Amino acid sequence: MYSYTINTNDAGQRLDKFVTKTVRGLPQSLMYKYIRTKRIKVNGKRAHEKDMLAAGDLVEMYIPDEFFSDTAEKTEYERVKLVPEIVYEDENILLCDKKPGILVHVGDEGDKNTADASERETLLFALQAYLVRKGEYNPENENSFAPALCNRIDRNTGGIVILAKNAPTLRLVNEAIREGRVHKKYLCAVHGNARPEATLKGCLRKDYKTKTVQVFDKPVPGGKEILTKYKKLSYRKDADLSLLEVELLTGRTHQIRAHLAHAGLPLLGEGKYGVNREDRKKGYSYQALYSYKLSFDFTDELAYLNGRTFTVKEGNVHFLKEFPSIKLPK
């Protein structure tokens, strides 16, 4: 018999979710059977798969040892070579500047390279290793929780990624993101002389076969409305390049890249939605896009972060070299 006392990070999730994370070798069909037949109990009583766990609950599992073999996973945090660049950190949250070319975590939708990637090569694993070295995260002390990312950025896009150090923070940040209370600004370099400012409207539809999206001026079946707001910060007439600050009023897959290309402003280095061989010759093997600024509007225990703006280092935005006179907006 295996028993687990629910801690703060385990609380607030369904029993079946907890068991799935804790006993990784147990097939789901057997898990539901064991719950029905009282081989998995909560506080000594029969439980239901949808029961919400609270701190202090005792989960008992009368399950064969063989299913627990995979849960004693030997991590390789000490072998991580990637050193994350921290923008901000406290006891609840960590903001990291992800460099282009780094995979956030295995399984990102639309990334053709994930099949060949290992977990140890991801930013998430590097951040967990960073917290292990600091003594803030010990996998052996956790039943089901591990520090987790609240947002994702495409492999070839750079910018600020949010990591929650505990489960309550993860829930609060995810809720704020869903409600539009996490505000992100992007920088991008595009071909063409953009208008001083604009709010682009359109309809975006995913193509799951090609792992790309299409943008239309009018609603189409299977499409979703998109709104992309930008302001031009600089224009280089000799290179016909504009530097834009972009804000997503809706958050869809590849929205900035596809919407700007649809508007006749393909990103410098863009490979999916606007190919320019001259960009490659200049060394741009991925799109000139960076999530460079972040602010919050929390209404809860994280409200101490309100009123602060977090910005990446100017030198990390590689394509700013095309606009030598520009300074990052504060």
Side-chain angles (χ1 to χ4, degrees), residues 38-50:
K38 297 190 288 186
R39 294 181 68 173
I40 297 177
K41 299 180 181 181
V42 177
N43 298 326
K45 299 178 181 179
R46 182 172 188 167
H48 189 275
E49 62 206 43
K50 295 183 180 179

Side-chain angles (χ1 to χ4, degrees), residues 284-299:
Y284 288 95
S285 56
Y286 38 76
Q287 64 272 6
L289 179 63
Y290 221 96
S291 178
Y292 85 108
K293 183 190 292 187
L294 182 70
S295 62
F296 301 104
D297 182 17
F298 288 118
T299 59

Side-chain angles (χ1 to χ4, degrees), residues 145-163:
F145 178 80
L149 296 173
C150 305
N151 66 318
R152 65 175 62 187
I153 294 180
D154 289 344
R155 185 176 202 151
N156 292 330
T157 299
I160 300 177
V161 176
I162 308 168
L163 179 123

Side-chain angles (χ1 to χ4, degrees), residues 162-209:
I162 308 168
L163 179 123
K165 293 185 177 182
N166 51 67
T169 296
L170 180 62
R171 287 191 286 269
L172 292 174
V173 176
N174 284 341
E175 179 182 342
I177 290 174
R178 287 194 300 270
E179 296 178 354
R181 293 186 283 109
V182 175
H183 311 290
K184 294 180 285 185
K185 295 289 184 67
Y186 298 79
L187 289 177
C188 63
V190 301
H191 290 282
N193 187 5
R195 288 178 284 171
E197 58 182 45
T199 298
L200 305 177
K201 300 180 180 180
C203 181
L204 180 146
R205 183 171 64 191
K206 287 185 180 182
D207 186 329
Y208 291 95
K209 290 184 179 180

Side-chain angles (χ1 to χ4, degrees), residues 17 23 73 105 162 222 265:
K17 301 296 184 184
V23 195
E73 182 180 329
H105 54 66
I162 308 168
L265 300 168

Side-chain angles (χ1 to χ4, degrees), residues 10-268:
D10 298 324
Q13 62 180 314
R14 287 171 27 166
L15 174 62
D16 56 351
K17 301 296 184 184
F18 173 79
V19 176
T20 298
K21 296 174 185 176
T22 307
V23 195
R24 298 183 183 180
L26 180 65
Q28 281 207 336
S29 58
L30 266 182
M31 175 191 66
Y32 291 121
K33 179 181 178 180
Y34 287 165
I35 293 175
R36 290 195 307 270
T37 57
K38 297 190 288 186
R39 294 181 68 173
I40 297 177
K41 299 180 181 181
V42 177
N43 298 326
K45 299 178 181 179
R46 182 172 188 167
H48 189 275
E49 62 206 43
K50 295 183 180 179
D51 287 349
M52 299 297 291
L53 298 175
D57 283 346
L58 179 66
V59 178
E60 297 171 307
M61 303 185 192
Y62 298 84
I63 296 176
D65 293 344
E66 62 190 88
F67 295 121
F68 288 85
S69 59
D70 290 339
T71 64
E73 182 180 329
K74 301 298 183 182
T75 58
E76 299 179 324
Y77 291 122
E78 69 277 2
R79 297 178 59 188
V80 174
K81 297 179 180 179
L82 175 63
V83 179
E85 182 166 332
I86 309 303
V87 175
Y88 171 81
E89 180 181 9
D90 61 33
E91 67 275 12
N92 296 314
I93 200 168
L94 182 152
L95 306 180
C96 174
D97 183 0
K98 185 194 85 70
K99 303 301 187 298
I102 296 174
L103 188 65
V104 172
H105 54 66
V106 174
D108 276 351
E109 182 180 354
D111 195 314
K112 65 182 180 181
N113 299 306
T114 55
D116 299 324
S118 69
E119 183 182 18
R120 189 159 48 85
E121 297 170 327
T122 65
L123 179 67
L124 174 58
F125 203 79
L127 288 172
Q128 291 173 347
Y130 166 77
L131 294 178
V132 167
R133 290 193 294 269
K134 288 187 65 182
E136 291 191 35
Y137 170 50
N138 184 347
E140 295 181 358
N141 293 340
E142 297 291 344
N143 295 321
S144 66
F145 178 80
L149 296 173
C150 305
N151 66 318
R152 65 175 62 187
I153 294 180
D154 289 344
R155 185 176 202 151
N156 292 330
T157 299
I160 300 177
V161 176
I162 308 168
L163 179 123
K165 293 185 177 182
N166 51 67
T169 296
L170 180 62
R171 287 191 286 269
L172 292 174
V173 176
N174 284 341
E175 179 182 342
I177 290 174
R178 287 194 300 270
E179 296 178 354
R181 293 186 283 109
V182 175
H183 311 290
K184 294 180 285 185
K185 295 289 184 67
Y186 298 79
L187 289 177
C188 63
V190 301
H191 290 282
N193 187 5
R195 288 178 284 171
E197 58 182 45
T199 298
L200 305 177
K201 300 180 180 180
C203 181
L204 180 146
R205 183 171 64 191
K206 287 185 180 182
D207 186 329
Y208 291 95
K209 290 184 179 180
T210 63
K211 295 184 179 179
T212 59
V213 301
Q214 295 176 292
V215 175
F216 304 87
D217 293 322
K218 296 180 180 180
V220 296
K224 296 182 178 180
E225 181 187 32
I226 53 173
L227 296 170
T228 308
K229 182 179 180 180
Y230 75 76
K231 177 173 64 175
K232 183 169 68 176
L233 303 179
S234 182
Y235 175 65
R236 269 188 58 192
K237 186 176 181 179
D238 61 320
D240 194 26
L241 289 176
S242 295
L243 179 67
L244 307 182
E245 181 185 63
V246 180
E247 181 179 2
L248 289 174
L249 303 182
T250 56
R252 311 294 185 197
T253 302
H254 295 175
Q255 179 176 323
I256 293 176
R257 299 167 61 187
H259 209 178
L260 289 176
H262 181 75
L265 300 168
L267 269 64
L268 177 67

Side-chain angles (χ1 to χ4, degrees), residues 269 276-285:
N276 188 322
R277 292 183 179 178
E278 295 302 314
D279 294 349
R280 301 281 178 174
K281 293 179 181 179
K282 294 179 181 178
Y284 288 95
S285 56

